[in-house]
C-alpha cells in the first residue's frame, strides 16, 4: 500500500483526461466518466507530477483564501480518493 | 475563440489567372445565369499552396459540368457524396470544379444551424461538407458576387469552428485511448506512430478553437503559424515540432525513454485541451 504524506507528489495516470462540457467537469478514465466538483478540479489541475501535496495545498490556500491547514486536509483527502480509484499515482 | 482571420490576400499571379482565364471559361459555360454563383478557393487562395497546387472552383448551380471540358480533352467529371467534381487544366494549372446544387447548400445551412454543440455533440459534418464550408468562407467570387455574399451570410462560421473543435477533441480522445493502451502493453512502435495523431489533433483543436475552419490536415502547421502571436500558440508551435520529430531508433530500444516521450506528448495534448475547456 502506498504511504501518502504531505511531501508525496501526485501524478495523474496517463490514461486520464479532464474534459468540460457546459458546466460539467469530468475525469475520463478508460471509458469511465467521473464528474468532479470545483474543489477536486482545482486540486487535479495542480497535480503535475512535480508539486508535492503541501505545495498544492499552499496554492489552493492562496487562491481560495483558506487556511493552510484546511487546504492541506482537503488536498490530502481529495488526492487519497483519486489515488484509490486509480486516477492518479502518488510518488 | 474566433481570433483567426478568414480573409487573406490572393497572390497577384493567381488573381490574374482567375480574372483572365478562369472567369471567362465559366462565363462561356451554359449555366443558368440568374441562379449560379461561382468562387475560387483552396490553398492557393489562402496563400498556403505551392507551384503544383491546383485551383478549386466551386459552383452553386442547377447546371452541370460540360461533357468535354474545354481546356482538357481528358477532363472527367464524377459524382461524389454532395457534388459533382470535374477536373481540367487551364494552361499548366489544374482546376477542380465542384458543382453543388443549391438545394444541397440549403440543407447544409440548415444542418449547421441545428448542430448540437452541447453534451451530446456528435460530429455530423462529413469531410467534404467541412471543406465546402471552409472554402466558402475564404472564397473569392468569380460569378455573381451578390449571390456569393448572400450564400456566405447564411452560415455562422463561429458555430462551424466550435463544432470542428469538439470533433477534434473527440478524435484526440480516441487517439489518447489507443496510445494509453499501447503504452500499458509496451507496444512501442504502434504507440510512436499513433502519438503523432495525438499531436496533430491537438494542433487541429487549437486552430479551430482560435476560429480557423480549415479542416485539411496538411495545413495544420501553416494555420497554426498564421494565428495571432501569443504565448500559447508560440509554445504549441515549438513543442509540437519538437515532439513530432524524436529519434525513433532510440525510443524503440529504450522503454523508459519511450514512456517518458509518450507521456510528454500526452501531457502537451492535455495542456491544449485545458486551454480549450479550462
Amino acid at each position: 500500500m502506498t504511504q501518502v504524506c504531505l511531501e508525496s507528489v501526485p501524478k495523474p495516470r496517463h490514461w486520464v483526461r479532464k474534459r468540460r462540457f457546459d458546466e460539467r467537469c469530468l475525469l475520463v478514465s478508460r471509458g469511465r466518466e467521473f464528474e468532479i466538483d470545483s474543489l477536486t478540479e482545482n486540486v487535479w489541475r495542480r497535480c503535475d507530477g512535480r508539486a508535492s501535496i503541501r505545495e498544492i495545498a499552499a496554492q489552493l490556500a492562496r487562491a481560495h483564501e483558506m487556511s493552510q491547514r484546511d487546504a492541506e486536509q482537503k488536498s490530502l483527502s481529495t488526492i487519497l480518493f483519486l489515488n484509490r480509484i486509480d486516477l492518479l499515482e502518488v510518488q | 475563440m474566433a481570433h483567426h482571420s478568414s480573409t487573406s490576400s490572393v497572390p497577384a499571379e493567381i488573381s490574374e489567372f482567375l480574372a483572365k482565364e478562369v472567369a471567362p471559361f465559366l462565363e462561356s459555360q451554359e449555366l443558368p445565369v440568374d441562379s449560379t454563383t461561382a468562387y475560387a478557393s483552396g490553398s492557393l487562395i489562402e496563400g498556403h499552396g505551392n507551384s503544383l497546387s491546383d485551383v478549386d472552383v466551386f459552383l452553386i448551380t442547377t447546371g452541370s459540368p460540360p461533357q468535354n471540358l474545354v481546356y482538357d480533352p481528358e477532363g472527367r467529371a464524377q459524382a461524389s457524396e454532395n457534388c459533382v467534381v470535374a477536373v481540367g487544366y487551364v494552361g499548366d494549372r489544374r482546376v477542380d470544379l465542384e458543382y453543388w446544387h443549391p438545394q444541397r447548400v440549403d440543407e447544409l445551412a440548415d444542418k449547421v444551424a441545428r448542430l448540437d454543440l452541447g453534451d451530446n455533440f456528435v460530429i455530423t459534418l462529413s469531410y467534404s461538407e467541412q471543406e465546402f464550408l471552409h472554402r466558402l468562407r475564404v472564397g473569392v467570387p468569380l460569378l455573381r458576387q451578390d449571390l456569393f455574399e448572400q450564400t456566405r451570410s447564411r452560415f455562422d462560421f463561429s458555430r462551424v469552428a466550435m463544432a470542428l473543435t469538439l470533433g477534434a477533441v473527440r478524435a484526440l480522445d480516441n487517439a489518447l485511448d489507443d496510445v494509453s493502451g499501447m503504452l500499458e502493453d509496451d507496444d512501442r512502435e504502434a504507440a510512436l506512430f499513433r502519438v503523432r495523431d495525438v499531436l496533430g489533433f491537438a494542433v487541429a483543436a487549437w486552430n479551430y478553437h482560435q476560429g480557423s475552419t480549415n479542416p485539411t490536415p496538411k495545413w495544420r502547421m501553416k494555420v497554426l503559424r498564421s494565428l495571432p502571436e501569443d504565448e500559447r500558440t508560440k509554445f504549441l508551435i515549438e513543442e509540437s515540432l519538437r515532439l513530432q520529430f524524436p529519434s525513433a531508433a532510440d525510443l524503440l530500444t529504450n522503454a523508459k525513454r519511450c514512456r517518458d516521450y509518450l507521456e510528454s506528448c500526452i501531457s502537451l495534448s492535455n495542456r491544449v485541451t485545458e486551454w480549450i475547456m479550462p
Side-chain angles (χ1 to χ4, degrees):
Chain A
M1 196 170 135
T2 319
Q3 292 291 320
V4 180
C5 65
L6 287 172
E7 303 318 317
S8 303
V9 175
K11 183 184 174 197
R13 294 289 192 192
H14 63 76
W15 56 78
V16 183
R17 51 188 177 265
K18 179 165 85 74
R19 295 290 179 261
R20 180 181 295 286
F21 298 102
D22 297 329
E23 293 308 305
R24 298 169 67 221
C25 186
L26 306 170
L27 292 179
V28 183
S29 170
R30 296 171 159 159
R32 293 172 68 200
E33 293 179 350
F34 301 86
E35 189 163 347
I36 56 173
D37 60 17
S38 64
L39 175 75
T40 309
E41 187 193 350
N42 274 307
V43 173
W44 176 266
R45 189 184 291 151
R46 291 173 169 83
C47 295
D48 60 3
R50 289 189 295 271
S52 67
I53 297 175
R54 193 186 299 282
E55 288 165 337
I56 289 169
Q59 291 174 28
L60 208 61
R62 274 196 300 277
H64 298 275
E65 291 180 0
M66 55 173 91
S67 69
Q68 174 69 16
R69 189 184 166 80
D70 194 17
E72 282 175 2
Q73 233 166 27
K74 287 188 163 123
S75 301
L76 196 56
S77 62
T78 302
I79 286 162
L80 279 171
F81 173 71
L82 294 171
N83 177 240
R84 195 162 63 239
I85 57 175
D86 206 23
L87 298 186
L88 53 72
E89 59 183 316
V90 182
Q91 298 161 334
Chain B
M1 170 98 178
H3 310 299
H4 187 250
S5 166
S6 61
T7 53
S8 52
S9 56
V10 181
E13 176 215 346
I14 300 301
S15 284
E16 195 180 323
F17 174 73
L18 294 174
K20 290 192 175 160
E21 305 275 357
V22 180
F25 164 72
L26 293 173
E27 280 158 8
S28 73
Q29 302 301 300
E30 289 175 6
L31 294 163
V33 181
D34 290 346
S35 59
T36 296
T37 181
Y39 53 96
S41 198
S43 58
L44 284 173
I45 304 302
E46 284 189 88
H48 299 331
N50 54 55
S51 54
L52 298 180
S53 297
D54 55 22
V55 173
D56 297 306
V57 173
F58 289 76
L59 296 100
I60 301 174
T61 180
T62 51
S64 312
Q67 287 298 313
N68 296 301
L69 287 174
V70 173
Y71 294 98
D72 177 20
E74 292 174 17
R76 59 197 189 279
Q78 58 188 40
S80 78
E81 173 197 7
N82 292 302
C83 58
V84 175
V85 184
V87 180
Y89 284 85
V90 179
D92 290 336
R93 180 81 67 188
R94 181 175 144 160
V95 179
D96 288 359
L97 300 157
E98 285 201 15
Y99 290 71
W100 283 66
H101 196 283
Q103 192 186 331
R104 188 65 200 89
V105 177
D106 289 346
E107 287 165 6
L108 185 54
D110 202 36
K111 194 172 180 178
V112 170
R114 286 189 289 105
L115 281 172
D116 179 353
L117 302 174
D119 266 16
N120 300 317
F121 171 79
V122 179
I123 184 85
T124 51
L125 297 171
S126 68
Y127 185 74
S128 90
E129 289 171 333
Q130 292 172 26
E131 270 200 320
F132 173 83
L133 289 166
H134 176 66
R135 289 173 176 193
L136 174 63
R137 185 188 190 190
V138 301
V140 174
L142 297 170
L143 294 180
R144 289 287 308 268
Q145 178 164 0
D146 58 332
L147 202 51
F148 170 76
E149 299 293 354
Q150 194 185 318
T151 306
R152 185 153 66 178
S153 70
R154 295 180 60 200
F155 292 91
D156 178 349
F157 291 104
S158 66
R159 280 180 71 73
V160 176
M162 212 180 291
L164 293 172
T165 306
L166 294 172
V169 171
R170 194 62 62 83
L172 175 61
D173 284 348
N174 289 335
L176 281 169
D177 281 343
D178 287 343
V179 171
S180 292
M182 292 160 182
L183 190 53
E184 284 307 283
D185 291 354
D186 196 27
D187 187 353
R188 279 174 239 165
E189 194 171 72
L192 288 174
F193 268 84
R194 187 61 167 142
V195 87
R196 302 191 73 166
D197 294 332
V198 166
L199 298 170
F201 291 137
V203 170
W206 182 244
N207 288 344
Y208 295 141
H209 181 67
Q210 295 300 103
S212 166
T213 46
N214 191 332
T216 316
K218 67 182 170 187
W219 301 129
R220 279 175 188 154
M221 275 312 283
K222 284 200 184 274
V223 172
L224 183 61
R225 283 194 181 278
S226 74
L227 297 178
E229 256 195 49
D230 72 8
E231 285 307 308
R232 289 176 170 178
T233 298
K234 201 169 152 226
F235 175 79
L236 186 55
I237 290 171
E238 285 167 8
E239 280 299 285
S240 58
L241 277 174
R242 183 179 72 81
L243 292 169
Q244 277 280 6
F245 302 100
S247 164
D250 176 53
L251 298 177
L252 282 169
T253 53
N254 188 317
K256 164 82 171 67
R257 272 207 284 273
C258 189
R259 190 178 186 88
D260 289 347
Y261 164 73
L262 292 169
E263 288 193 2
S264 298
C265 295
I266 293 170
S267 166
L268 177 65
S269 78
N270 285 338
R271 196 157 171 171
V272 172
T273 47
E274 180 73 33
W275 297 341
I276 293 171
M277 36 177 81

